[in-house]
Each structure stands twice: as C-alpha cells, then as structure tokens.
C-alpha cells in the first residue's frame, strides 16, 4: 500500500510498540501529526518541548521502555537539547523525532531551520537525518535498537518535511547491518572467576553500584550476590533502589551528600566491586584520594567507562545483570565469608554518624520531615521524582527505596525543571502507580506549566513544592564558600500563592506552613484522584544538606554538620 | 605530548567526519592531522588520524562508541607505512634556483610549477622525509605550503613476524 512518509513514520512507531508520545506540533512536523490523529498511539501535548523530552525520559525510567518525544524544526528541536543531554548523561533510552525544513531548503537559513543533527551530535547516542522516504521505517527500527541496547541513550531522527510528504510502499522494517554497533553484553568467564576469587578473599569489600543495575534489571541478582558474598552495598544517586534500603547490607548513597558510612566504607575498603557506575566526580571527590587502599573490579556495559577515571585491576565489559549472575554462578559452593570485623566497623559508623535533622513542633518545617511524612503516609508505595537542589538530596537521603525504577531524577546533568514533566511522563506510563514529585521552588518555576498538560490530559500527579524562597543549594554553597553573600539566589517568591497558581492550572492546591499541617496536607492530597495536586510546603530556608564533601575535596573529610566546619 | 596514529574504518555516511572530529574535540583530544578517503569497500572510508592524547585507550574507546565507526587500529611507527604529500612553493630568486633544484633532486621532490621568482615542488614520503626537506628549503624562503595529512597502513602481518625473528 502506498503511504506518505509521515504515515510510515507513525506506523513505524506503532510497529515498535509505542503507546504514547509526548510532543508539540509545528510547521515542519505537521505532516506527521495528521496520521497521529488516527493512530492508537496517545499523543500528550506538552506545553514546551523541554517538557515533552523530560516526559519521555520519565516514561522511560518508570516503564523500562523507550520514551518518545516529537518536536518541530528549529526552536522545537533546540528546546529538546536539554532533555537529550540529560538522557545521554543518565543513559535513558529515548527516541526524539524532529521535523526539518524541506531537503531543498536545508542550508539556506529557511524559516525555522536549525542544524538539528549538528546541534544534537554531542547530546545524543546517535542521530539521523533521513533524506529518503524509503529509509524512514528502517531508521526508526534502528533508532529504537540503539536507544535500548548496550548503554541506553537518546537517539534523534530528523525528518525533512518533503520526506514526510513523499510517498512509498510500506515494508516491515528489517534489522539492518550495523557493522559499527555491537555492544558486548556477555562478560568474560575468566574475569568473573578471577573477580569472585578476589571478592572471597577480600577483608573489607564494598559493592559500589549505580544506574546500570536499574537499566539492566539486575536488582535481584545484586541482592542475591551481596547476600551470598556478604558484601555491603553502596549506591550512587542513580542507583537508589537497586537494593532495598531495608536490607541490612545497604549503606545508602555515597559521595558529596552521601551517608558518612557509605562514603567512609569506600574510603576504607580493600576491594571495590563497581558495577554499572562511572566514578562520577560527585561520588569520588578528588579521585586521587578516592578509595586509596582498594583494588578495583569494574564491570560496565560501556568499555569507555572502565579506566576513564580510575584504573581497574579487573575490568569486565558486560551487562550488569549478566555480570552479577555470572558472579553468582562462579561463586558456586564457596559459602558465605565471615566478615564480622568489617561489618561491625560499619555498624559503628552507622550508629555514630546517622543521617539526622531536628524538627521541633513549633519551629519551621524541615524539608527532611516532609519527605519522611510523605513516605510514611504513602507507605513508600510511590514513584518518587525529584528536581535538582537541596530537596533532591534530602529526597534521596530520607526516602526508603525498596525497588528499582521508583526513583527518578536528573543525576548527571542536574537539570532544574526535571521533576514536573518527568512525573507526568512516569504517570502516563504507569497510570496505576502513585507518582509523587518533590520539587524545589526554583525548579518548579522552570517547568510548572506542564501541570497544565497534566490536568488537560488527566494525568493526576502529586507535586510537593518546597517553598524556601531560595535556590537553596546555591545558597548553601554561598553560605559555605562565599561568605554568606547570597548573590542571585533569592527567588523573591516566598509569598507567591501556590494554591491559586495550582487552581489556575486546573490542579488542586494545598498548603502547609507549620509542622502540624504537614501530615493533613499530604492526606488531603492523597484523597484527590481526579486532578493533579500541588502541595506547597513552606520550609526552613536555612536548612543545610549534610553530610557534605566540598567539591573536589577528599572523601576522607566528610562534614556531617556545621560543627565539622 | 606523544603522537599516535589511528587508522579508523568508518561507514561512509553523511556527517561521519563531523562526528569523529567533534568527539575528539569534546573529549579534549588534540588532532594533529586527519586524512580521510575511500577504501576498496564501497560503503567504508578510512580515516588516518594523528592525535596527541595522554590516554590513547580513552580515544579509542570513545571513538568506538560512535555507531558509524567500524574498526580502529592503532598503528605503531615501526610496523606501519606512513606517507604524506606536501606541495611547497619556495622562493627561488637571486640565483638560488640551481641550488634548490639540486636539493629537490636528493629528496625526490618534483617541480610542478615554475615562475621567475619561485618553484612549487610536490614531495611524497614518510613524514620524516617531508619535514627534512621542509627544514632544508626553509632558509630560502617558503612562499606557501600545504600538507595532505598523514595516511598510513599496517605492514603485512607475515612480514611483521619475519622481522621479529
Ligand atoms: C537548569 C539549571 N540551571 C541552574 C542550575 C544550578 N542550580 C543547581 S541547584 C539550584 C537551586 C535549586 O533551587 P530550588 O529548586 O529552589 O531547590 P532547593 O535547593 O532550594 O531545594 C541551581 C540554581 C541547575 N542545576 N540547572
Ligand atoms: Mg528552593
């Protein structure tokens, strides 16, 4: 049957099993919007392409499937750059489709022309400019394959308008030969054996795991291996939920705002078993002082991560789940090593330096208290989304993560404004789950317009806005390192009426200004199920995120509170 | 910093040169020269890249992540044939013409354009030879020059073994 390129494009998305796309139409992409009208694919109309991108990203994180966003040429495409870069940093599988001016106009500064493939070259895992209508279906197929396999990431397909309008016969996409793309997923058996031997013999081993565990669906294998080898587990920010927080071997997050115990356990370890992590600077501090006494086993799907920051004594290229299952198989009948001394030392740190905050009944609301109350009242049964800033760190510290894919945030790029659209995308993908976002007031003011999308499209998310009136994280650094000169970090919006703002966007609006109002506000929010809800929590602007390792410092020096300064 | 030569087989797709050079720039690797051209396979091109990078492993691994990069070979100086072409116009006024032409003969440099005041030579060979010629004619005055960038291929594996014995 003869179809237009646009029809082929949408049919190719259906062929890949896409059920929802997030986008904003415009001139160059208009042909593709016409067949969307008849397609079973749901189109969620974002209010800004950045929102569409983060929605696709949130969808991908929560569901484990490839998220899809659509934008027009020029400004539509440039608005997608931030979510693309975000997905690249955090290895999130996303396919972005952008319209382009007609092939005959490319290069002439045509209306709404931007060099999209050039602009996004360093913000995607791969990108395409499709110049022949006959290539559309296969390109979509290839893009989904690249996005989802190996180290997942964003792929962009730029389609000129005349290619969308051209006609072609539909043919089911075939798997194309990609001679340059063959990710290694199977770890080398000899390396696994060698690794296991060292793990058994180590005195102070630590499993240091991250987002790779979540992407590879390796959480069960991780917990099983940690148990049989009796090795404590430290997670990165992206790896929260890789092992249940209730598990006795879990030490929480390490690094700049990690727990004292997690950071210190790595520093004192003699063997780091790093799986699905990339030794990010927020984790390592100054790499020269990072885990100075440890040998390193580093397993990752991306060979370029191994040895990039820290040399590995045992490098293992492979899928995290296959690596951990390989460890388990190689462990065989070794029995569980006695590591009483090491575990006792860790327990002492946990007792001496727990995460702490002080909520007084009459004092200002402590943000940590809000997070604990949301956790208590939802029984932790929610997908938690965060923005970027202090509130993000408190969320990762004070929420108890029990499962993978239930913690969404922008880790590598640190994109303010992530939370609202990512929550909308997650809820669109997982409509039966409670999706709760914890957002800073600064972040919220970057993308809250996507709550209009949420109410128009009936995607009832819950957004807790932490109104501290400031860019809290910036202010924290200014307090510590810039002599309390709060330049450019006061929002001036402490008195903004978030309840009215919420209602104006078709959401329910709630407010808690004192500690005793926190729980009732959350309960009320949980009772609403026909609209998105915004709850404003007026929180203490002077609260600081502890512990802290100052940027570029040694992880041997963990500041656990102002008394350590 | 150490120079290394990489022979990179890439798919002959639009934008692949931009991908390679942008990646090297983004990761902070310095490109000394880059030559690209077709191979005997219709869909493949070969890039010969001379890079300055403290961490060559990283360069190779990062390049390998590009979907259009098919194969990377690191060429070591000994086991590799490296060639470069240079076109160079040397000032030849003031009765220096004979002297310059004699020099050129030693180096197998071919005069390709002659005017009353200058001669253009074409010289091909290993970078060392090309540079030596350049150094020797420099005192006469270089009007203009262009180099092709290095192209290189590994020697035959069998010969390599024979040499090692
Ligand atoms: C798009 C973007 N711009 C700037 C920053 C730098 N930045 C990091 S945290 C932060 C403040 C966040 O403020 P808010 O959302 O109110 O969160 P809080 O720290 O107060 O909890 C800023 C400006 C960023 N991460 N992202
Ligand atoms: Mg704030």
């Amino acid at each position: 049957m003869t179809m237009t390129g646009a029809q082929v494009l949408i049919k190719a998305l259906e062929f890949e099993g896409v059920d929802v796309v997030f986008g904003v139409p415009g001139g160059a992409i208009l042909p593709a919007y016409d067949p969307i009208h008849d397609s079973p694919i749901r189109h969620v109309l974002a209010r800004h392409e950045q929102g569409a991108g983060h929605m696709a990203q949130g969808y991908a994180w929560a569901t484990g499937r490839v998220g899809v966003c659509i934008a027009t040429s020029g400004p539509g495409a440039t608005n997608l750059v931030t979510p693309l870069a975000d997905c690249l940093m955090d290895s999130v599988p996303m396919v972005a489709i952008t319209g382009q001016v007609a092939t005959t106009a490319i290069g002439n500064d045509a209306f709404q022309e931007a060099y999209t493939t050039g602009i996004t070259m360093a913000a995607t895992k791969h990108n395409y400019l499709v110049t022949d209508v006959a290539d559309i279906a296969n390109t979509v197929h290839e893009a989904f394959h690249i996005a989802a396999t190996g180290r997942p990431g964003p792929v962009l397909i730029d389609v000129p308008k005349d290619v969308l309008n051209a006609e072609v016969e539909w043919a089911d996409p075939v798997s194309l030969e990609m001679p340059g793309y063959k990710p290694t997923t199977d770890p080398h058996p000899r390396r696994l054996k060698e690794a296991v031997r060292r793990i058994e013999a180590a005195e102070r081993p630590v499993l240091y795991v991250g987002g790779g565990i979540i992407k590879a669906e390796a959480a069960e294998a991780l917990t099983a291996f940690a148990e049989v080898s009796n090795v404590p587990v430290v997670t990165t920010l992206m790896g929260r939920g890789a092992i249940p927080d209730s598990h006795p071997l879990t030490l929480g997050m390490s690094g700049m705002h990690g727990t004292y115990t997690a950071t210190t356990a790595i520093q004192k370890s003699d063997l780091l078993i790093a799986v699905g992590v990339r030794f990010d600077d927020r984790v390592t501090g100054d790499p020269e002082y990072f885990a100075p006494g440890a040998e390193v086993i580093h397993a990752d799907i991306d060979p370029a991560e191994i040895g990039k920051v820290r040399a590995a004594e045992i490098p293992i290229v492979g899928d995290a789940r296959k690596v951990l299952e390989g460890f388990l198989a190689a462990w065989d009948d070794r029995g569980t090593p006695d590591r009483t001394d090491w575990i006792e030392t860790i327990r002492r740190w946990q007792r001496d330096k727990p995460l702490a905050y002080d909520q007084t009944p009459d004092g200002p609301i402590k943000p940590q208290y809000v997070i604990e109350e949301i956790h208590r009242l939802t029984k932790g049964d929610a997908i938690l989304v965060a923005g970027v800033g202090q509130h993000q760190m408190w969320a990762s510290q004070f929420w108890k993560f029990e499962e993978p894919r239930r913690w969404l945030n922008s880790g590598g790029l640190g994109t303010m404004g992530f939370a609202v659209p990512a929550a909308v995308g997650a809820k669109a993908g997982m409509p039966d789950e409670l999706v709760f976002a914890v957002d800073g007031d600064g972040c919220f003011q970057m993308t809250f317009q996507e709550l209009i999308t949420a109410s128009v499209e009936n995607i009832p998310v819950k957004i807790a806005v932490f109104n501290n009136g400031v860019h809290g994280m910036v202010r924290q650094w200014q307090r510590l390192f810039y002599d309390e000169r709060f330049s450019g970090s006061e929002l001036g919006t402490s008195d903004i009426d978030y309840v009215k703002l919420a209602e104006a966007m078709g959401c329910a609006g709630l407010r808690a200004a004192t500690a005793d109002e926190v729980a009732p506000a959350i309960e009320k929010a949980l009772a609403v199920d026909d609209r998105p809800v915004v709850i404003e929590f007026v929180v203490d602007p002077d609260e600081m995120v502890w512990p802290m390792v100052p940027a570029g410092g040694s992880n041997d020096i963990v500041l656990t509170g102002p008394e350590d300064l | 910093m150490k120079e290394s030569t990489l022979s990179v087989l890439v798919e002959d797709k639009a934008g692949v040169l931009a991908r390679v050079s942008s990646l090297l720039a983004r990761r902070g690797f310095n490109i000394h020269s880059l030559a690209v051209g077709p191979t005997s396979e219709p869909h493949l091109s070969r890039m010969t890249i001379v890079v300055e990078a403290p961490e060559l492993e990283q360069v190779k691994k990062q390049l390998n992540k590009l979907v259009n990069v098919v194969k990377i070979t690191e060429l070591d100086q000994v086991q590799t044939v490296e060639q470069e072409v240079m076109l160079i116009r040397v000032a030849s006024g003031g009765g220096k013409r004979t002297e310059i032409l004699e020099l050129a003969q030693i180096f197998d440099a071919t005069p390709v354009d002659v005017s009353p005041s200058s001669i253009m030579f074409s010289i091909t060979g290993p970078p060392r030879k090309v540079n030596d010629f350049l150094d020797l004619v420099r005192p006469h005055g270089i009007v203009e020059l262009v180099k092709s960038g290095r192209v290189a291929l590994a020697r035959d594996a069998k010969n390599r073994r024979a040499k090692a014995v």
Side-chain angles (χ1 to χ4, degrees):
Chain A
M1 191 177 73
T2 305
M3 302 167 79
T4 64
Q7 288 168 331
V8 169
L9 177 67
I10 301 309
K11 185 159 173 184
L13 293 179
E14 290 168 12
F15 188 87
E16 298 301 327
V18 173
D19 58 352
V20 52
V21 298
F22 307 90
V24 180
I29 196 69
L30 255 184
Y33 267 79
D34 192 65
I36 288 179
H37 210 54
D38 307 318
S39 168
I41 295 176
R42 174 181 186 189
H43 178 266
V44 172
L45 176 63
R47 307 295 131 160
H48 186 292
E49 290 84 356
Q50 184 192 356
H54 289 316
M55 285 175 199
Q57 192 177 2
Y59 171 97
W61 253 120
T63 64
R65 297 194 292 269
V66 177
V68 182
C69 56
I70 302 192
T72 195
S73 65
T78 55
N79 277 346
L80 280 182
V81 172
T82 300
L84 287 168
D86 202 309
C87 286
L88 187 66
M89 275 286 209
D90 286 346
S91 309
V92 180
M94 177 166 92
V95 168
I97 291 166
T98 47
Q100 181 56 277
V101 301
T103 47
T104 46
I106 287 180
N108 286 321
D109 303 318
F111 177 63
Q112 293 194 326
E113 178 178 3
Y115 178 27
T116 302
T117 47
I119 290 169
T120 62
M121 199 171 273
T124 52
K125 184 173 172 185
H126 192 56
N127 63 19
Y128 298 89
L129 172 67
V130 184
T131 50
D132 184 345
V133 63
D135 291 340
I136 291 180
N138 276 340
T139 304
V140 170
H141 192 53
E142 222 175 270
F144 273 76
H145 177 69
I146 292 173
T149 55
R151 179 178 181 168
V155 180
L156 178 137
I157 308 175
D158 200 26
V159 199
K161 191 168 187 178
D162 55 334
V163 177
L164 289 171
N165 285 329
E167 296 201 334
V168 72
E169 290 287 316
W170 168 265
D172 281 358
V174 290
S175 292
L176 288 186
E177 179 70 6
M178 282 189 274
Y181 184 73
K182 296 194 170 71
T184 305
T185 54
D186 289 328
H188 201 295
R190 222 183 37 236
R191 293 268 166 82
L192 294 174
K193 284 213 187 88
E194 173 64 18
V196 158
R197 209 174 305 131
R198 301 237 192 153
I199 297 168
E200 188 187 25
E203 284 179 16
R204 298 179 307 283
V206 172
L207 273 155
Y208 153 43
V209 302
I213 301 288
I214 317 264
K215 304 325 178 326
E217 309 290 349
E220 269 177 42
L222 169 69
T223 305
F225 182 68
E227 283 173 358
V228 69
S229 59
N230 199 16
V231 177
V233 182
V234 166
T235 62
T236 65
L237 180 65
M238 303 314 288
R240 303 286 288 125
I243 183 167
D245 275 338
S246 57
H247 197 287
L249 285 168
T250 303
L251 311 186
M253 179 174 82
S254 70
M256 182 175 277
H257 293 300
T259 65
Y260 176 88
T261 304
T263 305
T264 307
I266 288 184
Q267 288 308 91
K268 303 291 182 207
S269 77
D270 64 345
L271 181 69
L272 262 193
I273 308 132
V275 186
V277 290
R278 57 185 179 87
F279 293 76
D280 177 75
D281 55 80
R282 260 39 188 170
V283 170
T284 62
D286 185 339
E288 210 183 312
Y289 301 103
F290 179 69
E295 287 201 323
V296 173
I297 298 169
H298 190 180
D300 203 276
I301 188 82
D302 180 355
E305 289 305 343
I306 300 175
K308 185 181 85 178
V309 175
R310 171 75 175 248
E313 276 73 23
I314 305 185
I316 305 174
V317 179
D319 169 83
R321 179 164 160 188
K322 292 190 175 184
V323 168
L324 287 160
E325 288 175 352
F327 283 170
L328 276 168
W331 193 267
D332 205 14
D333 55 0
R334 277 165 207 266
T336 298
D338 175 25
R339 305 195 200 272
T340 313
D341 284 356
W342 179 223
I343 305 275
E344 272 312 306
T345 307
I346 286 170
R347 296 283 176 254
R348 205 180 59 237
W349 292 330
Q350 286 176 319
R351 274 194 307 274
D352 291 352
K353 311 260 190 179
L355 289 172
Y357 67 94
D358 190 14
Q359 176 67 64
T360 55
D362 313 320
I365 302 177
K366 296 291 180 180
Q368 302 95 321
Y369 174 68
V370 177
I371 287 158
E372 290 200 320
E373 284 296 277
I374 297 174
H375 185 272
R376 182 175 68 84
L377 295 166
T378 60
K379 301 185 181 65
D381 189 9
I383 293 173
L384 188 70
V385 189
V388 170
Q390 290 182 311
H391 62 283
Q392 172 193 28
M393 292 298 113
W394 287 315
S396 81
Q397 291 176 335
F398 287 91
W399 193 265
K400 297 279 170 266
F401 297 94
E402 296 294 313
E403 284 171 285
R405 298 205 179 278
R406 312 204 93 206
W407 164 236
L408 278 51
N409 79 133
S410 167
L413 200 66
T415 306
M416 288 174 70
F418 171 87
V420 172
V424 171
K427 180 77 180 171
M430 306 291 274
D432 298 333
E433 298 282 341
L434 173 62
V435 177
F436 223 116
V438 170
D439 211 4
D441 43 3
C443 290
F444 184 74
Q445 289 173 34
M446 286 201 179
T447 51
F448 67 71
Q449 79 276 19
E450 299 307 343
L451 279 167
I452 303 172
T453 309
S455 58
V456 170
E457 297 272 352
N458 193 19
I459 302 172
V461 292
K462 317 247 184 271
I463 312 286
V465 181
F466 284 28
N467 174 3
N468 56 6
V470 292
H471 283 307
M473 185 56 93
V474 172
R475 189 174 140 100
Q476 171 159 347
W477 285 50
Q478 288 172 332
R479 181 180 295 263
L480 293 173
F481 312 119
Y482 291 89
D483 238 357
E484 307 207 349
R485 289 155 56 82
F486 299 124
S487 173
S489 56
E490 319 235 336
L491 289 164
T493 53
S494 310
D495 297 334
I496 212 174
D497 192 333
Y498 286 96
V499 173
K500 267 194 195 150
L501 182 61
E503 285 168 356
M505 293 188 288
C507 307
L510 297 160
R511 183 168 196 266
T514 57
D516 59 357
E517 288 170 1
V518 170
I522 297 167
E523 275 164 351
K524 264 190 219 142
L526 291 174
V528 178
D529 58 7
D530 60 341
R531 272 166 303 164
V533 187
V534 176
I535 326 166
E536 174 201 0
F537 295 97
V538 181
V539 298
D540 185 354
D542 292 324
E543 190 63 15
M544 306 266 277
V545 182
W546 302 110
M548 178 168 191
V549 177
S554 158
N555 278 3
D556 283 335
I557 301 160
V558 179
L559 312 177
T560 52
E563 64 283 356
D564 285 347
L565 282 169
Chain B
M1 203 181 291
K2 195 177 159 279
E3 267 184 16
S4 314
T5 308
L6 297 176
S7 179
V8 184
L9 208 56
V10 299
E11 287 186 273
D12 184 18
K13 296 237 164 116
V16 63
L17 176 61
R19 286 181 204 281
V20 167
S21 53
S22 124
L23 179 113
L24 292 172
R26 175 159 69 99
R27 298 272 175 190
F29 306 132
N30 214 349
I31 304 177
H32 183 86
S33 80
L34 193 158
V36 55
T39 64
S40 53
E41 307 265 331
H43 303 298
L44 295 179
S45 303
R46 187 182 299 282
M47 295 185 181
T48 307
I49 311 174
V50 181
V51 282
E52 289 170 23
E55 273 279 356
L56 194 67
E57 266 315 292
Q58 260 301 303
V59 180
K60 290 199 284 181
K61 284 172 166 180
Q62 294 295 347
L63 281 175
N64 248 325
K65 283 168 69 168
L66 293 178
V67 170
N68 298 140
V69 168
V70 177
K71 190 168 181 239
I72 302 174
T73 321
E74 183 184 340
L75 301 174
D76 72 281
Q77 248 80 25
V78 185
Q79 308 293 4
T80 305
V81 177
E82 287 188 304
Q83 298 267 302
E84 212 167 30
V85 179
M86 175 169 73
L87 293 176
I88 182 166
R89 183 185 293 286
V90 186
S92 61
K96 294 182 301 183
R97 179 168 297 176
T98 323
E99 193 186 330
I100 292 169
L101 282 169
E102 270 171 18
L103 206 54
Q105 206 168 14
I106 302 172
F107 279 86
D108 262 338
T110 317
V112 287
D113 182 51
V114 183
S115 80
S117 59
S118 71
I119 312 176
M120 191 201 299
F121 294 101
S122 158
I123 174 170
T124 306
R128 179 76 190 277
K129 170 185 157 185
V130 173
N131 285 335
D132 283 351
F133 180 64
L134 178 58
D135 286 343
L136 284 165
V137 295
R138 197 188 300 275
H140 296 291
I142 295 162
V143 184
E144 261 185 316
L145 79 81
V146 62
K147 285 188 186 185
S148 64
R150 232 170 276 183
V151 293
L153 277 182
R155 292 177 192 277
D156 191 307
K158 269 181 268 167
N159 289 342
R160 224 178 294 168
R161 230 171 284 131
K163 258 202 175 157
V165 173

